[in-house]
Amino acid sequence: MKKRSLRDLPPQALDGKRALVRVDFNVPLKNGKITDDTRLRASLPTIQYLREKGARVVLLSHLGRPKGGPDPQYSLKQIVRDLEKLLGAPVEFIPDPATGVPTTRRLPRGGVALVENTRFWPGEEKNDPELAKVFAALGDLYVNDAFGSAHRAHASTEAVAHLLKPAVAGFLMEKELTYLGQLLGNPKHPFVAVLGGAKISGKIDVIRSLLPRVDELLIGGAMACTFFGAMGLEVGASLVEPDRIALAKELLATSGKKLILPRGGVIAPSLERASEHRSVAADAIPKGWAVYDIDESTQHDFRARLLRAKTIFWNGPMGVFETPPFDAGTRAIANALVEAGKKGAVTVVGGGDSVAAVAGMEDQLTHVSTGGGASLEFLEGKELPGVAALEDA
Ligand code: ADP
Ligand code: MG
């Protein structure tokens, strides 16, 4: 179902109005300093648009996982300065939403306020309607731009959306829904998905949801080793999920033609002994050695398949990319996506580690989802509560 976007609201719906905006300011902090401000920057288009239209912007976000109440370590006050710099405007801080209404009313048109960490109040994660009322009093309309939190029904993402009208998607949310929605709805073919990472178990619902939609599903990462096991191959000391072998067998039997496994891997006796690495064919993994990356022939094979694609979705690194030289396969896939994009393919990357693996390449990809778990749940075909609660277009 398509959702109403901030873009669809007429000027009078925004001018002078208090826009309560759920953003994702869950940024990494070290000693009170932001180490990566990607998420702040990602919310700027929505905030600046609202300001230009004369709205008074009240921002809501969670930060980290505070346990049972306020904790200075997780205070959003720590990000006010950075936000002010990025916006080029002062930001009023609201330490307690229950007493914040006067501050929101005093904001000038185009003014910005930031409410303290929503998770400081126990009602947040319980989707408490009373807390939602407190949040709703801070705005006249609701904008959700926190796609990454939309898979959780929380007071600031779900309950509040029912209390304010209009309740619409911000630009970042809209972009996520458009590109991820296209993968499920009407992808241009050939549609090739690349899945990797550590475990099949966490990705099985995505695999099941994507298989009928894709032309090919390329498997890398440790996940491939569970398939090798299912094929009766020796997997050595590779990370395998013995309890998923049966599942892998079933997938091979039902969708074997679409599943493309690595031809070989880069192996080592252990990560500590990475310098002893060498490449072997998939059917020649020695006992005691583990696969830590796809080998070069697989890189070439996957690249060729990706260059034929019109739509590509990638989740999960091809190897232990945190430990060189086992980052080579992951980097090769990232480069192949960029190359395919230049030839006109739509390229979408989602996940946590896969997104980290393409850091700095975002401009050369169609869409890098900031959603993490939410992107995967979306692709599993699940309804995200924070999205469902918004108005239909
Ligand atoms: P994402 O966060 O993109 O969804 P995952 O969390 O599923 O990805 O998987 C990422 C992890 O998988 C990385 O920490 C990486 O080291 C690990 N990994 C990938 N390939 C292997 C492998 N062959 N052996 C062990 N771990 C692997
Ligand atoms: Mg991960």
Side-chain angles (χ1 to χ4, degrees):
M1 184 62 81
K2 212 170 161 349
K3 291 296 170 178
R4 197 174 184 199
S5 154
L6 175 55
R7 207 182 302 275
D8 304 330
L9 298 183
Q12 65 273 20
L14 301 174
D15 190 21
K17 297 289 185 345
R18 294 172 308 149
L20 184 67
V21 189
R22 177 56 159 97
V23 285
D24 178 4
F25 284 172
N26 186 25
V27 289
L29 290 165
K30 205 171 177 187
N31 303 324
K33 296 253 178 312
I34 299 177
T35 53
D36 178 358
D37 68 353
T38 307
R39 287 185 169 154
L40 297 191
R41 284 186 286 107
S43 69
L44 292 179
T46 291
I47 300 174
Q48 299 294 45
Y49 178 87
L50 284 163
R51 296 182 60 218
E52 280 159 27
K53 301 288 173 190
R56 299 177 280 169
V57 182
V58 181
L59 302 169
L60 277 182
S61 177
H62 76 283
L63 174 64
R65 295 172 185 271
K67 294 206 169 50
D71 177 345
Q73 195 189 329
Y74 296 113
S75 174
L76 277 173
K77 202 168 169 82
Q78 301 170 96
I79 72 148
V80 167
R81 269 286 155 75
D82 294 78
L83 186 59
E84 287 180 327
K85 270 193 222 138
L86 286 171
L87 287 171
V91 173
E92 288 266 359
F93 188 68
I94 297 177
D96 183 350
T99 55
V101 173
T103 309
T104 64
R105 296 213 183 281
R106 274 199 311 270
L107 281 178
R109 291 163 77 253
V112 182
L114 172 65
V115 180
E116 180 59 285
N117 191 346
T118 52
R119 290 194 184 165
F120 281 4
W121 291 275
E124 165 71 341
E125 290 172 78
K126 297 187 186 118
N127 203 18
D128 174 21
E130 291 308 313
L131 181 61
K133 272 187 211 160
V134 169
F135 290 149
L138 302 172
D140 305 311
L141 70 136
Y142 178 71
V143 180
N144 192 343
D145 215 16
F147 179 76
S149 304
H151 57 316
R152 304 207 167 97
H154 288 174
S156 70
T157 62
E158 207 279 333
V160 69
H162 299 287
L163 302 177
L164 290 172
K165 284 272 133 30
V168 299
F171 296 139
L172 180 60
M173 171 76 88
E174 186 188 23
K175 192 170 176 240
E176 295 276 6
L177 295 176
T178 301
Y179 286 112
L180 296 176
Q182 199 175 314
L183 297 179
L184 294 184
N186 53 346
K188 281 213 185 104
H189 290 275
F191 175 14
V192 178
V194 192
L195 291 182
K199 294 182 170 175
I200 294 192
S201 44
K203 306 273 168 85
I204 185 59
D205 292 332
V206 183
I207 296 179
R208 284 197 199 283
S209 163
L210 288 179
L211 264 175
R213 297 180 159 97
V214 297
D215 298 285
E216 287 182 333
L217 181 51
L218 319 185
I219 306 270
M223 202 192 277
C225 299
T226 301
F227 282 98
F228 291 159
M231 293 156 69
L233 300 177
E234 171 64 52
V235 289
S238 304
L239 179 62
V240 190
E241 291 171 279
D243 56 332
R244 302 293 153 147
I245 297 263
L247 173 79
K249 274 191 187 151
E250 178 216 310
L251 291 170
L252 286 168
T254 52
S255 318
K257 282 212 186 91
K258 283 186 177 181
L259 289 173
I260 312 295
L261 291 164
R263 295 176 172 185
V266 181
I267 57 167
S270 67
L271 281 179
E272 291 70 35
R273 289 166 65 184
S275 62
E276 294 170 48
H277 69 90
R278 57 189 172 90
S279 295
V280 294
D283 59 1
I285 302 166
K287 281 206 171 66
W289 289 57
V291 176
Y292 291 121
D293 198 6
I294 54 171
D295 72 342
E296 233 177 86
S297 69
T298 306
Q299 292 177 24
H300 293 310
D301 178 44
F302 283 10
R303 173 174 170 269
R305 294 175 192 277
L306 292 170
L307 291 183
R308 288 196 289 269
K310 287 272 176 297
T311 306
I312 300 173
F313 172 69
W314 178 26
N315 165 267
M318 295 292 99
V320 184
F321 75 111
E322 303 93 336
T323 312
F326 307 121
D327 57 335
T330 300
R331 282 194 287 106
I333 296 301
N335 292 334
L337 254 70
V338 170
E339 233 184 301
K342 286 193 182 125
K343 289 180 60 188
V346 171
T347 56
V348 180
V349 181
D353 297 286
S354 358
V355 167
V358 297
M361 303 170 81
E362 293 86 350
D363 299 352
Q364 302 173 77
L365 298 160
T366 311
H367 182 60
V368 177
S369 177
T370 53
S375 334
L376 292 186
E377 284 197 26
F378 184 93
L379 291 176
E380 286 165 13
K382 289 190 186 139
E383 184 176 73
L384 310 185
V387 175
L390 300 176
E391 283 170 54
D392 294 332

